[in-house]
């Protein structure tokens, strides 16, 4: 992203990409890992801005969202659940909390529950990659806007 014509000094400039980013999260977070997959994204709230500060572009964001998930059990059953991201900012994209709920957390033996939880939390890495890709695309998009 480059500064606007009026911002020759390259000081502070901010472009709101919130609505675009929320739409991107709806499709971009459809990820899989092992036997777990994201089935839908709901309750996306917050903001995403591309900031141009002293000649450098970066993303500023605060987001919360919920992910509908399914984990395929050892018996081949699709066990539903939900992962909630209660707070994510540009500074903690690699270290955000995932809260697991639903049948995927409570159904079956303790061993099955632990296996389901491990599979569900295995979604963290592809989710993080998808969010980083959205952040890079926001910077690129803001530069061409």
């Amino acid at each position: 992203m480059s500064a606007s014509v009026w911002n020759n000094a390259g000081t502070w400039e901010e472009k709101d990409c919130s609505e675009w980013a929320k739409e991107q999260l709806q499709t971009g977070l459809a990820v899989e890992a092992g036997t777990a997959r994201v089935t839908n994204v709901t309750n996306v709230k917050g903001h995403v801005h591309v900031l141009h500060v002293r000649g450098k572009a970066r993303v500023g964001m605060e987001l919360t969202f919920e992910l509908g998930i399914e984990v395929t059990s050892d018996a081949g059953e699709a066990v539903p659940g939900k992962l909630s991201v209660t707070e994510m900012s540009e500074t903690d994209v690699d270290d955000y909390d995932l809260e697991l709920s639903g049948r995927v957390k409570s159904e079956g033996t303790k061993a099955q529950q632990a296996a389901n939880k491990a599979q569900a939390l295995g979604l963290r890495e592809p989710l993080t990659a998808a969010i980083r890709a959205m952040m890079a695309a926001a910077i690129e998009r803001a530069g061409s806007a």
Side-chain angles (χ1 to χ4, degrees):
M1 171 179 142
S2 57
S4 296
V5 175
W6 60 265
N7 193 3
N8 290 334
T11 55
W12 179 275
E13 187 172 340
E14 184 174 334
K15 293 186 180 180
D16 187 355
C17 298
S18 297
E19 291 308 311
W20 173 87
K22 289 175 184 177
E23 291 172 13
Q24 295 302 303
L25 291 175
Q26 296 292 327
T27 57
L29 295 183
V31 299
E32 296 183 16
T35 65
R37 70 183 182 94
V38 173
T39 58
N40 61 38
V41 180
T42 59
N43 297 323
V44 180
K45 297 178 182 150
H47 66 87
V48 177
H49 290 85
V50 174
L51 310 169
H52 185 88
V53 182
R54 297 186 181 145
K56 286 190 156 192
R58 60 188 67 139
V59 173
M61 66 180 192
E62 289 183 2
L63 294 170
T64 64
F65 50 91
E66 294 176 350
L67 305 167
I69 63 167
E70 283 184 351
V71 174
T72 304
S73 71
D74 292 339
E77 179 190 1
V79 182
K82 180 172 71 172
L83 283 174
S84 299
V85 177
T86 56
E87 183 178 356
M88 176 183 282
S89 71
E90 71 281 357
T91 60
D92 63 7
V93 172
D94 294 316
D95 187 33
Y96 53 92
D97 291 332
L98 285 173
E99 294 179 12
L100 181 63
S101 61
R103 283 182 48 206
V104 74
K105 183 177 179 182
S106 61
E107 190 169 282
T109 66
K110 292 288 184 190
Q112 289 168 328
Q113 291 173 15
N116 289 345
K117 181 178 180 180
Q119 287 296 320
L121 296 180
L123 290 166
R124 177 183 295 278
E125 189 174 320
L127 287 171
T128 299
I131 293 198
R132 288 205 172 279
M134 182 270 302
M135 292 169 71
I139 289 172
E140 185 175 315
R141 182 177 183 275
S144 63

